[in-house]
Amino acid sequence: MLNTNASFYGQQTDERILYVVRPHWLSQTILFLKFLAGAGIVFFIAVIVAEQGLMQKYAGQFGIGGGVIAGIIVVIGLWVVKNARQKNIAYITDRRVVKFEASTPFATNTRSLNWEEAVKVKTYARNAIWKQLMIGSVVVHAKTTIATPEASKTERLVTDDDVEIPSVYFYRDMGNYIEKILFLYKKQPKDIAALQSFVPRVKGKRY
């Protein structure tokens, strides 16, 4: 079954999708640029080697070979980015958070945490630039996650029972939204049915 914005593999009967999270396009662009940079480096090395004294008569072959390898790297990069865009997807529903992640180009891992087992939400951005762009990660912690006294206060503890969603646009608002779901689920479960879907826009322009 193909995961879409309307349904996903393993979706329960009457389970309502509140929001579908896909990696922000900027993170995918940066991933492709890394492949592009790798292709450029390979081609540059091939040209430099070809221009060396003993290799000058093979300059054409080295140039063609380097170009072919660089082209293959670019194609692989496009495929990886497209594959990640299609397979790396998370669902916020009225019952749980479900995350699908491509472990390899041919395999996808699934992680699910129901709201009964979730206890708190943390959000963070990888650096100040991403913070200004409002792109960061959202971590939903399970009951089984225990921070030891030895752990640094700045350490981000994420266990196999937790669900971490990277490259989320409006990541802080998403964290607040999930906190609201947790509150309603545990304190006012009947109100979950009336909860509106999350809209990734600035306050005042969401509905």
Side-chain angles (χ1 to χ4, degrees), residues 110-149:
T110 305
R111 184 168 296 175
S112 175
L113 180 64
N114 62 57
W115 301 132
E116 181 65 32
E117 297 298 322
V119 291
K120 61 181 178 180
V121 182
K122 287 188 178 180
T123 63
Y124 67 92
R126 67 175 70 176
N127 54 48
I129 295 177
W130 286 92
K131 185 176 181 179
Q132 289 299 315
L133 293 173
M134 297 180 290
I135 303 172
S137 295
V138 177
V139 183
V140 184
H141 288 289
K143 290 179 180 179
T144 53
T145 302
I146 301 176
T148 62

Side-chain angles (χ1 to χ4, degrees), residues 1 14 18 20 30 34 37 50 61 75 87 97 101 105 109 121-122 128 133 138-139 146 163 168 176 185:
M1 177 181 176
D14 297 328
L18 298 174
V20 180
I30 291 175
K34 291 179 180 179
Q61 291 89 328
V75 171
K87 293 187 176 181
V97 54
E101 183 176 25
N109 291 333
V121 182
K122 287 188 178 180
L133 293 173
V138 177
V139 183
I146 301 176
V163 176
V168 179
N176 292 334
Y185 189 89

Side-chain angles (χ1 to χ4, degrees), residues 157-178:
L157 179 64
V158 180
T159 70
D160 290 339
D161 294 331
D162 302 330
V163 176
E164 180 174 9
I165 309 173
S167 302
V168 179
Y169 192 38
F170 283 94
Y171 70 101
R172 285 182 171 177
D173 293 330
M174 170 58 71
N176 292 334
Y177 182 77
I178 296 177

Side-chain angles (χ1 to χ4, degrees), residues 1-181:
M1 177 181 176
L2 181 65
N3 294 323
T4 67
N5 288 339
S7 62
F8 60 90
Y9 180 77
Q11 184 174 1
Q12 300 170 0
T13 302
D14 297 328
E15 183 174 12
R16 185 164 64 100
I17 297 175
L18 298 174
Y19 187 64
V20 180
V21 188
R22 295 183 184 273
H24 192 272
W25 65 267
L26 188 57
S27 65
Q28 303 296 293
T29 301
I30 291 175
L31 177 60
F32 176 68
L33 288 177
K34 291 179 180 179
F35 279 95
L36 202 61
I41 291 172
V42 168
F43 184 72
F44 177 76
I45 292 175
V47 172
I48 294 298
V49 171
E51 291 179 349
Q52 299 305 309
L54 297 176
M55 298 294 183
Q56 285 184 349
K57 62 180 180 178
Y58 301 111
Q61 291 89 328
F62 268 95
I64 294 173
V68 170
I69 295 175
I72 292 174
I73 292 175
V74 171
V75 171
I76 291 175
L78 286 170
W79 182 57
V80 169
V81 170
K82 181 180 178 182
N83 188 65
R85 181 70 180 174
Q86 291 177 339
K87 293 187 176 181
N88 292 353
I89 183 172
Y91 293 88
I92 309 299
T93 80
D94 57 349
R95 301 179 185 179
R96 55 182 171 157
V97 54
V98 185
K99 176 186 175 184
F100 296 90
E101 183 176 25
S103 55
T104 71
F106 309 101
T108 303
N109 291 333
T110 305
R111 184 168 296 175
S112 175
L113 180 64
N114 62 57
W115 301 132
E116 181 65 32
E117 297 298 322
V119 291
K120 61 181 178 180
V121 182
K122 287 188 178 180
T123 63
Y124 67 92
R126 67 175 70 176
N127 54 48
I129 295 177
W130 286 92
K131 185 176 181 179
Q132 289 299 315
L133 293 173
M134 297 180 290
I135 303 172
S137 295
V138 177
V139 183
V140 184
H141 288 289
K143 290 179 180 179
T144 53
T145 302
I146 301 176
T148 62
E150 293 79 13
S152 169
K153 292 183 179 179
T154 59
E155 181 181 356
R156 299 189 185 97
L157 179 64
V158 180
T159 70
D160 290 339
D161 294 331
D162 302 330
V163 176
E164 180 174 9
I165 309 173
S167 302
V168 179
Y169 192 38
F170 283 94
Y171 70 101
R172 285 182 171 177
D173 293 330
M174 170 58 71
N176 292 334
Y177 182 77
I178 296 177
E179 288 279 10
K180 182 178 180 180
I181 293 176

